[in-house]
Amino acid sequence: MTYVFLPHEYNMWLHQLEGNKPIPVAKLPGSDDARYFMSTDHTLFAFLDQAQKRIGLYQLLDAEPWFEKKMSPVTLPKNCLGDDVLIHKAIIYVGGRSKSGEFLWQKAITDQTWLALPFPDDFSPKRYKSIDLLFLEGDQLIAVDDIVYPKWIFTYDISESKHPKPVGIASLKQHTSYESIYGGADNDDYIALLSGGINHGECFKFISLLDKKTLKELWCWSTKKPKQYDSLLPLLTSDIVDPEQIEDIIGMINELGILFKDFLDDFFVKIISRQR
């Protein structure tokens, strides 16, 4: 059974997918500002709410009431705000920011305390930067560090969950000034990032496609948008990429051996669910 998080009746609801059709089944817990995250095995979900300071965890069910509390809501460490959550093998990973800069924390479902993951050697957090997105590749945690040049991707070996180890740091290409990531999605082979920024008063949107194993950028598509759209996450393909670019994008993605429609559908479902 496949579930997604989508708006319904002015609230966020848990939806069950029947083919490609989402069926609303239950209003989701959490306050009005909550964001929702599915576990890697699709058996649990978490919400992040109260101005990105609190996390709750629920078990998914196959019938009504559709979910039940797995962990009572807990707050993040003092002065920390979460921007993304990944749940894997009963461990909750949270990427975000603190007063001093980026942070990355983890907590076992049954533990009361948070563990700060170490950054690679010779790296120190910088103010106004954040870990914006978390992805998984096997036993490797991929953390995308956004805004304020330079941009980075950190990787961690989490095969021993109690002893996460930094593996490396890769440069994340910058496409324009003041570029910020709005959301992302992944599959077994690729990571797609939706970002935007301003250059000389003009606003740009980007979809960049990364190889998930090498973290190298394979393609990037861009479009210029009116300034009023800069702070909004568009929900329609045509709001991100100009219609005349779609055929070129389809051809490029097909060259990589990706079934375009399935990839795009999956990408936008995840983008909508993980928007900032």
Side-chain angles (χ1 to χ4, degrees), residues 1-4 15-18 42:
M1 193 173 295
T2 303
Y3 295 103
V4 293
H15 287 65
Q16 180 182 341
L17 284 183
E18 293 185 359
H42 301 277

Side-chain angles (χ1 to χ4, degrees), residues 94-163:
V94 180
R97 55 213 144 97
S98 64
K99 287 186 175 180
S100 60
E102 308 98 323
F103 79 77
L104 184 55
W105 298 87
Q106 72 173 50
K107 188 182 87 66
I109 293 173
T110 56
D111 288 350
Q112 298 298 314
T113 58
W114 292 95
L115 170 68
L117 275 69
F119 283 105
D121 292 340
D122 301 323
F123 178 88
S124 58
K126 298 175 179 59
R127 291 187 68 189
Y128 310 117
K129 286 175 70 68
S130 174
I131 300 296
D132 271 356
L133 291 169
L134 299 174
F135 299 105
L136 188 71
E137 167 62 20
D139 287 323
Q140 183 169 268
L141 179 68
I142 300 171
V144 179
D145 176 31
D146 179 40
I147 205 156
V148 183
Y149 185 79
K151 303 173 187 292
W152 305 107
I153 300 177
F154 304 104
T155 54
Y156 291 85
D157 179 354
I158 56 172
S159 56
E160 296 182 32
S161 60
K162 293 185 178 181
H163 304 284

Side-chain angles (χ1 to χ4, degrees), residues 33 35 37 47-55 75-77 79-85 93-98 103-105 114 130-134 275-276:
D33 65 346
R35 294 168 57 216
F37 308 87
F47 67 73
L48 180 67
D49 71 354
Q50 293 190 357
Q52 300 169 268
K53 297 177 183 178
R54 185 181 75 154
I55 288 182
T75 56
L76 294 175
N79 296 322
C80 289
L81 302 177
D83 283 317
D84 200 17
V85 176
Y93 299 91
V94 180
R97 55 213 144 97
S98 64
F103 79 77
L104 184 55
W105 298 87
W114 292 95
S130 174
I131 300 296
D132 271 356
L133 291 169
L134 299 174
Q275 63 179 296
R276 292 183 61 188

Side-chain angles (χ1 to χ4, degrees), residues 168-199:
I169 181 171
S171 178
L172 184 61
K173 188 174 180 179
Q174 180 169 328
H175 305 103
T176 190
S177 56
Y178 305 104
E179 184 181 3
S180 182
I181 291 175
Y182 301 128
D186 67 329
N187 61 16
D188 291 341
D189 301 305
Y190 304 99
I191 293 173
L193 302 178
L194 172 63
S195 62
I198 305 175
N199 189 4

